[in-house]
Amino acid sequence: MSEKKLDRIDRNILRVLQEDGRVSNVELARRVNLSPTPCLERVKRLEQSNYIKGYMATLNPVKINASLLVYVQITLEKTTSAAFEEFKKSMMEIPEVLECHMVSGGFDYLIKVRAADMAEYRGILGDKLAATPWVSQTHSYVVMEEVKNTNILAVKDNF
């Protein structure tokens, strides 16, 4: 399937669905000024083209006992392909790790961790993160206040 360039309506569909992934097709069509059938066809095309990767519920971390948010800098002993692959595989197996990013600069990875409290995080740090193969150093930054936390991407008109 050749990928069609997104028009204004496609971009508006993406904007609406990011805000409310449970919106009905009829309501979505109304908001983007289309009839329901062509609207649904556009949504399906956006899904098939991987503009829309999926739909999910956003949970309240306080309600599910995961209110402590920590960013962790990880430095590896070696920066070889084998070390990177083993580290990435290990991160995928730790459910408390929400995000893991290889970065450039003074350390190798920046990860985002959620835990119930500092005692639980200490266990995650010692038993899981620091025990991961090739990890030589960690630095933890505990979030005191979440000022902005969103998954909504800016859908610009110029792509």
Side-chain angles (χ1 to χ4, degrees), residues 128-159:
K128 296 179 180 180
L129 298 177
T132 300
W134 303 109
V135 170
S136 69
Q137 193 173 61
T138 66
H139 292 279
S140 299
Y141 300 92
V142 177
V143 173
M144 295 171 52
E145 177 185 7
E146 285 185 68
V147 176
K148 181 177 181 180
N149 181 3
T150 184
N151 290 322
I152 296 175
L153 301 175
V155 179
K156 298 177 182 164
D157 290 330
N158 60 352
F159 78 97

Side-chain angles (χ1 to χ4, degrees), residues 6 16 41 43 49 51 56 66 71 78 84 92 101 103 133 136:
L6 298 186
V16 171
E41 289 170 358
V43 170
S49 299
Y51 283 97
M56 66 178 167
Y71 287 91
K78 292 183 178 183
F84 291 148
M92 299 302 285
H101 305 278
V103 296
S136 69

Side-chain angles (χ1 to χ4, degrees), residues 6 15 17 21-22 31 37 56 61-62 67 73 76 81-82 91 96 101 104 106 108 121 133 137 139 152 156:
L6 298 186
R15 289 180 185 113
L17 287 176
R22 293 183 60 168
R31 290 190 201 176
T37 300
M56 66 178 167
V62 173
S67 59
Q73 293 178 352
L76 301 184
S81 294
M91 290 300 102
E96 297 87 357
H101 305 278
S104 63
D108 299 308
Y121 173 68
Q137 193 173 61
H139 292 279
I152 296 175
K156 298 177 182 164

Side-chain angles (χ1 to χ4, degrees), residues 87 98-103 107-112:
F87 178 79
L98 303 179
E99 296 178 16
C100 177
H101 305 278
M102 178 187 264
V103 296
F107 56 97
D108 299 308
Y109 288 91
L110 181 64
I111 66 171
K112 180 179 177 180

Side-chain angles (χ1 to χ4, degrees), residues 48-100:
Q48 291 168 349
S49 299
N50 208 29
Y51 283 97
I52 299 172
K53 292 174 62 176
Y55 301 89
M56 66 178 167
T58 303
L59 305 182
N60 181 340
V62 173
K63 296 283 190 179
I64 61 166
N65 201 26
S67 59
L68 184 69
L69 178 59
V70 183
Y71 287 91
V72 187
Q73 293 178 352
I74 304 279
T75 303
L76 301 184
E77 292 172 11
K78 292 183 178 183
T79 53
T80 64
S81 294
F84 291 148
E85 288 307 312
E86 198 168 347
F87 178 79
K88 288 192 297 188
K89 183 180 175 192
S90 296
M91 290 300 102
M92 299 302 285
E93 296 172 1
I94 303 173
E96 297 87 357
V97 172
L98 303 179
E99 296 178 16
C100 177

